[in-house]
Amino acid sequence: MGDRRRSRRLAATLTVAGLVFGTAACGSGSDSTDSGGPNTLEVWTRSNPDAAATYDRVFAAFTKKTGIKIDYQPVVNFDQQLQSRASTKDLPDVMINDTALMGSYQSQGLLKPITPDAIAGHAQITAKTWSSTVGVDGKHYGIPYSRQAQTLMIRKDWLKKLGLEAPTTWQEMLRVAKAFATEDPDGDGKADTYGMVVPGSAQNGYAAWWGASYLWQGGARIIEPDGDGRYRPAMDSAAAVRTVTWLKDNLFCGAKNVVQPGALTAVTANATNFQDGNAGMYLTGPYNITTFDATPGKDTYEVVAAPAGPAGSDVLADGENVYFGAKTGKAKQEQALAAFLISPEGQRIAMTSVDGHQPVVRIPVNSALDAATVRDDSRWSVVQKAYEDASQQFPNAPDFAPIKQDTADSLNAIFTYCGSDVASGLKELNDTLAGDLKDQDLLK
């Protein structure tokens, strides 16, 4: 099974690399006629038009401050477009994308190493946050830009109606989920509500992304450092077996409607039950706060810390880094942009919603700023505290994409077939992960 999975990934990579590059959509701040000019930076973000509007404001402020022009291109199919550009050895100057992709980009030779001291304001980023930009060779390959951690969004009006409190443990969470599913919390007299939203599809690694917080809380790890820059797979541990068994038995194979119908084929784009008003909990990222404030409505829900499992309440943290494309000639301009992006001014603009557009910085990386203060919204203190005190990121130095995908495939299969043997399924996953690490020459 592991060899077949790795063969599929290799074929997919070759297919993507062979795609013909198509022109990416440009934001209103783009100056494509001067994209090759010495004082113009081509900048890519993985953004939809809503987020792109916020980036437009950020880059306009940077250009006004420095005179450096930005040819801004918000790219939806980011990785496909990037591989196409890489095949022509013509990468963007600057990219802003997920922290978890750093290992993949670095292993492909797409990034220039970063010297933190060369970025003005670098000392205002904490050592913990900087550590997430270190590659397998000990060099930095990104500048932290935004961070976030998952929290529990929960219908406080439903809790009040049923005389319940927000859960603080897994068992309490399960009891609340069952009550939401069976006790008519919306008062319409119909059995049409669900306990929690789960984007549990294997597609694009969603089952691993959603399940990671529960693995951390159960004391499990997907892979672990094993010294000298090497790693070992860890999904055959007793903690992993206990955690995955609990999830399978209680969320997917237990009481009806604890999770929404179709959870194991759902991705975040179609897991809309919380905003649709028929599910009561969602462990998710803070980018959804703006969405949920509109529907189901700011007054209907609250943001609380994730319920604790046997090993604590750590949640998955992620975010975005600023990356410099592996080409030369504009180092000073790239460093100036990075310095602005991490500055209090740049971070404030990116954290602010104008005309309802989505902010692109969630938790600021600049330690001089407080998310709740900037937004005048105490809910963001819950998110910031989760990031600072109770979070873990996927390991960033390896190429984590195949590891996440193989973990998602395995978890999704285990949850789908209620008669599956968890221990043997995770042993098979562990063997596959060992192959992933061996492929990268990272297996201890």
Side-chain angles (χ1 to χ4, degrees):
M1 177 66 76
D3 290 339
R4 291 200 299 273
R5 284 174 178 163
R6 291 197 296 279
S7 295
R8 290 199 306 270
R9 289 197 308 275
L10 177 60
T13 299
L14 293 174
T15 300
V16 169
L19 291 175
V20 178
F21 175 70
T23 303
C26 295
S28 62
S30 96
D31 182 13
S32 57
T33 60
D34 192 32
S35 61
N39 208 41
T40 297
L41 292 173
E42 182 183 4
V43 181
W44 284 21
T45 69
R46 183 172 62 86
S47 305
N48 60 29
D50 187 48
T54 301
Y55 277 116
D56 278 335
R57 291 190 293 111
V58 173
F59 296 138
F62 169 72
T63 297
K64 183 177 180 179
K65 189 178 186 73
T66 66
I68 299 172
K69 298 179 181 179
I70 300 296
D71 174 11
Y72 172 43
Q73 302 192 29
V75 184
V76 176
N77 297 320
F78 192 103
D79 289 322
Q80 290 183 348
Q81 301 280 30
L82 183 62
Q83 293 293 341
S84 298
R85 285 287 291 266
S87 70
T88 65
K89 298 182 179 180
D90 181 27
L91 293 166
D93 298 296
V94 178
M95 300 168 282
I96 302 176
N97 207 348
D98 295 346
T99 59
L101 292 170
M102 191 195 78
S104 175
Y105 292 167
Q106 189 268 326
S107 68
Q108 297 176 67
L110 304 182
L111 305 179
K112 285 193 293 195
I114 301 295
T115 302
D117 289 351
I119 309 300
H122 68 91
Q124 292 182 307
I125 298 176
T126 65
K128 172 186 175 179
T129 302
W130 268 118
S131 70
S132 65
T133 66
V134 178
V136 292
D137 58 2
K139 297 178 181 178
H140 293 270
Y141 284 92
I143 301 105
Y145 179 56
S146 172
R147 290 295 183 267
Q148 60 194 35
Q150 295 188 349
T151 55
L152 186 69
M153 316 288 179
I154 186 167
R155 290 291 297 263
K156 63 182 180 182
D157 56 341
W158 289 13
L159 290 172
K160 182 178 180 181
K161 183 176 186 299
L162 300 181
L164 300 171
E165 299 289 336
T168 60
T169 67
W170 282 5
Q171 292 303 325
E172 291 176 2
M173 178 186 69
L174 184 59
R175 286 195 293 271
V176 170
K178 290 179 178 178
F180 283 172
T182 62
E183 297 181 19
D184 192 25
D186 61 358
D188 67 355
K190 301 176 182 178
D192 57 357
T193 55
Y194 312 105
M196 66 180 70
V197 178
V198 172
S201 171
Q203 179 183 335
N204 296 330
Y206 272 106
W209 173 83
W210 167 82
S213 295
Y214 293 100
L215 292 175
W216 309 161
Q217 293 160 14
R221 301 292 180 268
I222 298 174
I223 62 173
E224 292 183 330
D226 208 9
D228 300 322
R230 305 285 178 163
Y231 294 82
R232 66 177 184 86
M235 281 299 287
D236 63 348
S237 69
V241 173
R242 285 194 303 269
T243 300
V244 174
T245 299
W246 190 91
L247 292 171
K248 185 188 81 161
D249 291 348
N250 290 288
L251 302 191
F252 302 101
C253 300
K256 185 179 179 182
N257 291 341
V258 169
V259 300
Q260 88 277 14
L264 292 174
T265 58
V267 299
T268 53
N270 58 28
T272 60
N273 299 80
F274 194 88
Q275 60 262 48
D276 291 344
N278 56 31
M281 288 184 283
Y282 195 178
L283 183 67
T284 187
Y287 44 81
N288 272 320
I289 289 177
T290 300
T291 300
F292 295 163
D293 280 358
T295 54
K298 185 175 182 179
D299 294 337
T300 68
Y301 79 102
E302 59 185 326
V303 179
V304 299
S313 56
D314 278 7
V315 291
L316 177 65
D318 52 16
E320 289 78 41
N321 291 334
V322 179
Y323 300 113
F324 295 164
K327 64 179 184 179
T328 60
K330 298 182 181 179
K332 289 185 178 179
Q333 292 92 332
E334 292 167 353
Q335 291 166 2
L337 176 59
F340 180 79
L341 291 173
I342 67 173
S343 70
E345 179 184 359
Q347 295 258 294
R348 282 193 186 96
I349 297 171
M351 291 170 66
T352 305
S353 175
V354 174
D355 296 329
H357 293 137
Q358 184 75 255
V360 295
V361 166
R362 278 82 190 187
I363 297 301
V365 297
N366 192 303
S367 57
L369 299 178
D370 175 78
T373 300
V374 172
R375 293 186 172 89
D376 192 24
D377 186 341
S378 62
R379 296 175 299 177
W380 282 91
S381 65
V382 179
V383 183
Q384 187 154 350
K385 182 175 176 59
Y387 172 71
E388 293 174 350
D389 300 339
S391 71
Q392 299 182 44
Q393 293 187 195
F394 286 136
N396 56 281
D399 178 358
F400 202 74
I403 296 169
K404 182 175 73 170
Q405 185 59 59
D406 284 334
T407 302
D409 288 342
S410 180
L411 291 178
N412 181 270
I414 289 170
F415 297 150
T416 297
Y417 302 106
C418 292
S420 62
D421 181 78
V422 173
S424 63
L426 293 181
K427 175 61 171 65
E428 181 182 352
L429 170 60
N430 223 56
D431 293 342
T432 302
L433 297 179
D436 291 333
L437 292 170
K438 186 177 181 180
D439 289 346
Q440 300 182 46
D441 196 27
L442 292 176
L443 183 65
K444 182 68 172 182

Coordinates of all heavy atoms in Angstrom, one line a residue, residues 3 15 35 40 49 89 93 107 155-157 181 204 209 225 250 268 271 278-279 292 309 345 364 408-409 420 427:
D3 N 4.0 1.7 -1.1 CA 4.6 1.9 -2.4 C 3.6 2.5 -3.4 O 4.0 3.3 -4.2 CB 5.2 0.6 -2.9 CG 6.4 0.1 -2.1 OD1 7.0 1.0 -1.4 OD2 6.7 -1.1 -2.1
T15 N 3.0 15.3 -13.4 CA 1.9 15.9 -14.1 C 1.8 17.3 -13.9 O 1.7 18.1 -14.8 CB 0.6 15.2 -13.8 OG1 0.7 13.8 -14.1 CG2 -0.5 15.8 -14.6
S35 N 6.7 44.5 -14.6 CA 7.0 43.4 -13.7 C 8.4 43.0 -13.7 O 8.9 42.4 -12.7 CB 6.1 42.2 -14.1 OG 6.4 41.8 -15.4
T40 N 10.6 46.8 -9.1 CA 9.3 46.2 -9.0 C 9.5 44.8 -8.6 O 10.3 44.0 -9.1 CB 8.6 46.2 -10.4 OG1 8.3 47.6 -10.8 CG2 7.2 45.5 -10.3
P49 N -10.4 36.5 -4.2 CA -10.6 37.9 -4.4 C -10.8 38.7 -3.1 O -10.4 39.8 -2.9 CB -11.7 38.1 -5.4 CG -11.7 36.8 -6.1 CD -11.3 35.8 -5.2
K89 N 12.2 28.2 -14.8 CA 13.3 28.9 -14.0 C 13.0 30.4 -13.9 O 13.9 31.2 -14.0 CB 14.7 28.6 -14.6 CG 15.0 27.1 -14.5 CD 16.4 26.9 -15.0 CE 16.8 25.4 -15.0 NZ 18.2 25.1 -15.5
D93 N 9.4 36.9 -7.3 CA 10.4 37.4 -6.4 C 10.0 37.0 -5.0 O 10.8 36.6 -4.2 CB 10.4 38.9 -6.5 CG 10.9 39.4 -7.9 OD1 12.1 39.1 -8.2 OD2 10.1 40.0 -8.6
S107 N 13.0 21.7 -0.5 CA 13.5 20.5 -1.1 C 13.6 20.5 -2.6 O 14.4 19.8 -3.2 CB 12.7 19.3 -0.6 OG 11.4 19.3 -1.2
R155 N -22.2 27.2 19.5 CA -23.4 27.9 19.6 C -23.8 28.1 21.0 O -24.3 27.3 21.7 CB -24.5 27.1 18.9 CG -24.4 27.1 17.3 CD -24.6 28.5 16.7 NE -25.9 29.0 16.9 CZ -26.9 28.8 16.0 NH1 -26.7 28.2 14.9 NH2 -28.1 29.3 16.3
K156 N -23.6 29.4 21.5 CA -23.9 29.7 22.9 C -25.4 29.8 23.1 O -25.8 29.5 24.2 CB -23.2 31.0 23.3 CG -23.6 32.2 22.6 CD -22.8 33.4 23.1 CE -23.2 34.7 22.4 NZ -22.4 35.9 22.9
D157 N -26.1 30.1 22.1 CA -27.6 30.1 22.2 C -28.1 28.7 22.4 O -29.1 28.5 23.2 CB -28.3 30.8 21.1 CG -27.9 30.2 19.7 OD1 -26.9 29.5 19.6 OD2 -28.7 30.5 18.7
A181 N -27.4 17.1 19.0 CA -27.9 16.2 17.9 C -29.3 15.7 18.2 O -30.1 15.3 17.3 CB -27.0 15.0 17.6
N204 N -6.8 16.3 -0.3 CA -5.8 17.4 0.1 C -5.4 17.3 1.6 O -5.0 18.3 2.2 CB -6.4 18.8 -0.2 CG -6.6 19.0 -1.6 OD1 -5.9 18.5 -2.5 ND2 -7.6 19.8 -2.0
W209 N -5.4 17.2 8.7 CA -5.4 18.6 9.2 C -6.4 18.7 10.4 O -6.1 19.2 11.4 CB -5.8 19.5 8.1 CG -6.0 20.9 8.4 CD1 -5.1 21.9 8.6 CD2 -7.3 21.5 8.7 NE1 -5.7 23.1 9.0 CE2 -7.1 22.9 9.0 CE3 -8.6 21.1 8.7 CZ2 -8.1 23.8 9.4 CZ3 -9.6 21.9 9.0 CH2 -9.3 23.3 9.3
P225 N 11.2 13.9 15.7 CA 12.6 14.1 15.5 C 13.4 12.9 16.1 O 13.0 12.5 17.2 CB 13.0 15.4 16.1 CG 11.7 16.1 16.4 CD 10.6 15.1 16.5
N250 N -16.5 7.1 18.8 CA -17.4 8.1 19.4 C -18.0 9.1 18.4 O -19.1 9.6 18.5 CB -16.7 8.8 20.5 CG -16.5 7.9 21.7 OD1 -17.5 7.6 22.4 ND2 -15.3 7.5 22.0
T268 N -13.3 21.8 3.7 CA -13.8 23.0 4.4 C -14.8 23.8 3.5 O -15.7 24.5 4.0 CB -12.6 23.9 4.8 OG1 -11.8 24.2 3.7 CG2 -11.8 23.3 5.9
A271 N -18.1 22.0 4.0 CA -18.5 21.7 5.4 C -19.1 23.0 6.0 O -18.5 23.7 6.9 CB -17.3 21.3 6.2
N278 N -27.1 24.5 11.3 CA -27.6 23.2 11.8 C -26.6 22.3 12.5 O -26.8 21.1 12.7 CB -28.3 22.4 10.6 CG -27.4 22.2 9.4 OD1 -26.2 22.1 9.6 ND2 -27.9 22.2 8.3
A279 N -25.4 22.9 12.8 CA -24.4 22.2 13.6 C -23.9 23.1 14.7 O -23.8 24.3 14.5 CB -23.3 21.7 12.7
F292 N -18.5 33.6 10.3 CA -19.5 33.2 11.2 C -20.2 34.4 11.9 O -21.3 34.3 12.3 CB -18.9 32.3 12.3 CG -18.4 31.0 11.8 CD1 -17.6 30.2 12.5 CD2 -18.9 30.5 10.6 CE1 -17.1 29.0 12.1 CE2 -18.4 29.3 10.1 CZ -17.5 28.5 10.8
G309 N -7.9 16.7 25.9 CA -7.8 15.2 25.8 C -6.9 14.7 27.0 O -6.5 15.5 27.8
E345 N 3.0 48.6 11.4 CA 2.1 49.2 10.5 C 1.6 48.2 9.5 O 0.4 48.1 9.2 CB 2.9 50.3 9.7 CG 2.0 51.0 8.6 CD 2.8 52.0 7.8 OE1 4.0 52.1 8.1 OE2 2.2 52.6 6.9
P364 N -0.8 38.2 15.0 CA 0.4 39.0 14.5 C 1.7 38.2 14.9 O 1.8 37.7 16.0 CB 0.3 40.3 15.2 CG -0.5 40.1 16.4 CD -1.5 39.0 16.1
A408 N -3.9 11.3 6.1 CA -5.3 11.6 5.9 C -6.0 10.3 5.2 O -7.1 10.0 5.6 CB -5.5 12.8 5.0
D409 N -5.3 9.7 4.3 CA -5.8 8.5 3.6 C -6.1 7.5 4.6 O -7.2 6.8 4.6 CB -4.8 8.0 2.6 CG -4.7 8.9 1.3 OD1 -5.6 9.7 1.1 OD2 -3.7 8.7 0.6
S420 N -13.1 -1.8 11.0 CA -11.6 -1.8 10.8 C -10.9 -2.0 12.1 O -11.3 -1.5 13.1 CB -11.2 -0.5 10.1 OG -11.5 0.6 10.9
K427 N -0.4 0.6 12.0 CA 0.8 0.0 11.7 C 1.2 0.1 10.2 O 2.3 0.4 9.8 CB 0.8 -1.5 12.1 CG 2.1 -2.3 11.7 CD 3.3 -1.7 12.4 CE 4.5 -2.6 12.2 NZ 4.9 -2.8 10.8

